[in-house]
């Protein structure tokens, strides 16, 4: 397999060495390194209590980082055209994985949710793969049906006959956060693909209505919505996680308590090394460290959007749509996770890309980074996948018309 891929042009195998978008790569590696440091600190107490080894979760996270980087190197060897050809089978794989996780005996229940498939000493979270596979499929659809998406209601709404059943499967787990992120990225891709403002506005209105109905349909979601508006009203009950996260931010002040000196990680803040690692970061590194981390995330997310723009200008529309979709996934997860940590959003079980502890999320995020790096390299080299639409999206056409004038 590796020998076959090496016969194709690749950013890893060139006469001049590696040819990668080093600002993007450096930003992602910096986040991975920061994640290792924070996992080492945030997980030490719970690891010592659960296993007797303070480095237990750090070692596992380091293994996940190595696996993620290995997956990224393999993904860098895969031409973008291959993802275009495999978009249909990947969508089918996403459906099968989301169905399999709901099958008793295959799916593993943790904290009341069936989100993982157990394979011995590690678990796979199908929703992480499904989100990426949906982005790839939708990018292929936008390339094949550009005119339909731009000019007809049917072309715009057709993808939702596939997306809505996938969203339903995610809600069955339940994984409301992943559903919101996936559907949000899909709608954003359709808008960038040239969908009219009227259709886009109606879809946004329908999405807001759907979120309202879903919140009302489950009492625990409504409880979370009520609690986050005033967590101190029940600080030892439903508002416990949020109040402890806010205390962490308060303890950190501007410059923080110093690495390893967090008080909240000592069994005050649940899920300190997963969903609430940003709170521990703010406590130990202070507001300055938290803001620098936000700036680094903003750089990586915006760089991903620019990779999509460069791909579009190079005529690689499939790569452009993937880059935009991946970037929106990262940005969406980042905004939701940080919003939960600072009390702007109800509590949701979404990991922080590159930083939070978790194998599936980290490996898939690293592979997604590699896809973005491959898209940037192919666009710069003028390698455009075949079978793409001859005409650019409406936004690109408008820019070219202005340039001609």
């Amino acid at each position: 397999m590796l020998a076959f891929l090496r016969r194709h042009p690749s950013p890893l195998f060139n006469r001049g060495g590696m040819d990668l978008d080093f600002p993007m790569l450096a930003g992602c590696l910096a986040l991975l390194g920061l994640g290792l440091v924070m996992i080492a600190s945030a997980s030490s107490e719970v690891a010592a209590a659960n296993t007797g080894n303070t480095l237990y979760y750090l070692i596992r996270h380091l293994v996940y980082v190595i696996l993620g980087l290995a997956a990224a190197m393999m993904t860098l060897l895969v031409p973008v055209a291959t993802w275009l050809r495999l978009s249909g089978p990947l969508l089918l794989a996403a459906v099968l994985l989301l169905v399999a996780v709901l099958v008793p005996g295959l799916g593993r229940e943790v904290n009341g949710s069936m989100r993982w498939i157990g394979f011995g000493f590690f678990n796979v979270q199908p929703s992480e793969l499904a989100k990426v596979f949906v982005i790839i499929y939708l990018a292929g659809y936008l390339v094949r049906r550009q005119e339909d998406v731009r000019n007809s209601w049917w072309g715009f709404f057709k993808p939702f006959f596939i997306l809505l059943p996938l969203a339903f499967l995610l809600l069955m787990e339940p994984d409301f956060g992943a559903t919101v992120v996936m559907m949000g990225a899909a709608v954003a891709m359709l808008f960038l693909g040239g969908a009219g403002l009227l259709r886009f506005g109606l879809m946004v209105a329908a999405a807001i209505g759907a979120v309202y109905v879903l919140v009302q349909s489950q009492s625990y979601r409504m409880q979370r919505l009520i609690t986050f508006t005033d967590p101190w009203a029940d600080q030892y009950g439903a508002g416990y996680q949020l109040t402890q996260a806010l205390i962490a931010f308060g303890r950190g002040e501007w410059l923080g308590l110093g690495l390893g000196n967090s008080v909240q990680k000592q069994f005050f803040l649940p899920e300190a090394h997963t969903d609430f690692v940003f709170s521990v970061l703010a406590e130990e590194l202070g507001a300055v460290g938290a803001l620098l981390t936000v700036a680094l995330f903003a750089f990586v997310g915006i760089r991903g959007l620019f990779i999509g723009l460069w791909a579009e200008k190079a005529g690689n529309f499939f790569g452009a749509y993937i880059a935009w979709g991946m970037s929106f996934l990262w940005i969406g997860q980042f905004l939701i996770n940080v919003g939960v940590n600072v009390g702007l959003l109800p509590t949701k079980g979404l990991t922080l890309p590159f930083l939070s502890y978790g194998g599936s999320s980290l490996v898939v995020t690293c592979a997604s980074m590699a896809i973005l790096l491959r898209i940037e390299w192919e666009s710069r080299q003028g390698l455009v996948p075949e079978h793409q639409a001859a005409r650019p999206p409406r936004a690109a056409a408008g820019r070219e018309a202005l340039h001609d004038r």
Side-chain angles (χ1 to χ4, degrees):
M1 178 67 175
L2 183 61
F4 170 76
L5 292 173
R6 288 187 62 172
R7 290 200 296 267
H8 295 273
S10 167
L12 289 181
F13 301 106
N14 286 280
R15 293 179 180 177
M18 288 193 300
D19 184 14
L20 296 169
D21 180 8
F22 283 102
M24 180 67 166
L25 179 62
C28 294
L29 292 180
L31 288 172
L32 282 174
L34 180 61
L36 273 172
V37 173
M38 293 315 305
I39 294 302
S41 176
S43 67
S44 59
E45 298 295 331
V46 67
N50 293 341
T51 68
N53 180 6
T54 58
L55 301 179
Y56 176 79
Y57 291 110
L58 172 62
I59 294 171
R60 287 178 65 91
H61 190 73
L62 182 59
V63 171
Y64 295 146
V65 169
I66 294 172
L67 290 175
L69 293 177
M73 292 185 67
M74 290 296 296
T75 306
L76 273 171
L77 302 178
V78 181
V80 176
T82 301
W83 298 115
L84 179 58
R85 289 195 298 270
L86 294 177
S87 59
L90 289 176
L91 179 69
L92 179 60
V95 174
L96 294 177
L97 285 170
L98 292 179
V99 170
V101 77
L102 298 175
V103 176
L106 288 178
R108 182 177 179 182
E109 184 174 350
V110 179
N111 295 330
S113 298
M114 295 279 289
R115 300 180 185 177
W116 294 267
I117 298 177
F119 291 94
F121 65 93
F122 69 96
N123 298 319
V124 174
Q125 191 170 358
S127 61
E128 296 294 336
L129 288 168
K131 287 183 291 187
V132 174
F133 292 168
V134 165
I135 293 299
I136 293 173
Y137 172 80
L138 189 56
Y141 174 82
L142 288 171
V143 166
R144 295 188 300 269
R145 296 287 186 266
Q146 274 188 8
E147 289 299 323
D148 292 341
V149 171
R150 280 188 260 165
N151 300 320
S152 74
W153 288 89
W154 173 242
F156 176 78
F157 283 108
K158 191 186 297 184
F160 290 96
F161 286 96
I162 296 173
L163 293 174
L164 290 178
L166 288 173
F168 175 76
L169 290 173
L170 285 172
L171 291 172
M172 290 288 290
E173 296 181 4
D175 196 344
F176 185 66
T179 306
V180 171
V181 170
M182 183 188 74
M183 296 301 290
V187 171
M189 288 175 67
L190 287 168
F191 178 69
L192 292 175
L197 283 175
L198 177 59
R199 287 188 285 272
F200 179 74
L202 289 175
M203 181 53 61
V204 171
I208 294 174
V211 169
Y212 175 79
V213 171
L214 289 171
V215 169
Q216 293 282 348
S217 65
Q218 295 289 338
S219 59
Y220 77 91
R221 292 178 187 146
M222 179 56 68
Q223 183 61 42
R224 286 181 177 179
L225 185 63
I226 295 172
T227 300
F228 104 95
T229 59
D230 185 14
W232 303 102
D234 188 14
Q235 68 179 98
Y236 297 110
Y240 181 76
Q241 280 185 310
L242 181 52
T243 55
Q244 296 303 315
L246 294 175
I247 290 172
F249 277 90
R251 288 183 186 276
E253 298 185 347
W254 284 104
L255 298 179
L257 302 177
L259 278 174
N261 294 327
S262 168
V263 175
Q264 294 305 103
K265 71 180 181 182
Q266 298 177 15
F267 306 102
F268 291 102
L269 181 61
E271 310 295 342
H273 61 296
T274 54
D275 298 346
F276 286 91
V277 68
F278 190 75
S279 297
V280 177
L281 184 151
E283 185 181 6
E284 296 188 350
L285 303 183
V288 173
L291 290 174
L292 289 175
T293 303
V294 170
L296 187 56
F297 265 111
F299 170 77
V300 169
I302 294 172
R303 187 78 177 183
L305 294 175
F306 269 99
I307 288 175
L309 179 62
W310 298 330
E312 179 193 83
K313 290 181 177 179
N316 185 358
F317 307 123
F318 177 68
Y321 294 133
I322 289 183
W324 288 329
M326 298 289 192
S327 300
F328 282 124
L329 282 181
W330 289 358
I331 293 171
Q333 286 192 215
F334 168 73
L335 291 177
I336 291 175
N337 184 280
V338 173
V340 167
N341 276 256
V342 300
L344 293 177
L345 293 172
T347 303
K348 288 307 307 167
L350 275 179
T351 58
L352 193 59
F354 295 105
L355 260 73
S356 293
Y357 175 83
S360 297
S361 175
L362 194 61
V363 172
V364 171
T365 300
C366 289
S368 302
M369 171 194 70
I371 293 175
L372 288 175
L373 293 173
R374 177 81 192 201
I375 291 170
E376 189 277 336
W377 178 78
E378 288 196 11
S379 301
R380 187 156 36 86
Q381 298 295 322
L383 302 173
V384 178
E386 297 178 358
H387 312 301
Q388 296 210 66
R391 283 173 286 184
R394 180 180 297 170
R399 286 193 294 270
E400 292 176 2
L402 289 173
H403 177 73
D404 292 340
R405 293 179 185 177

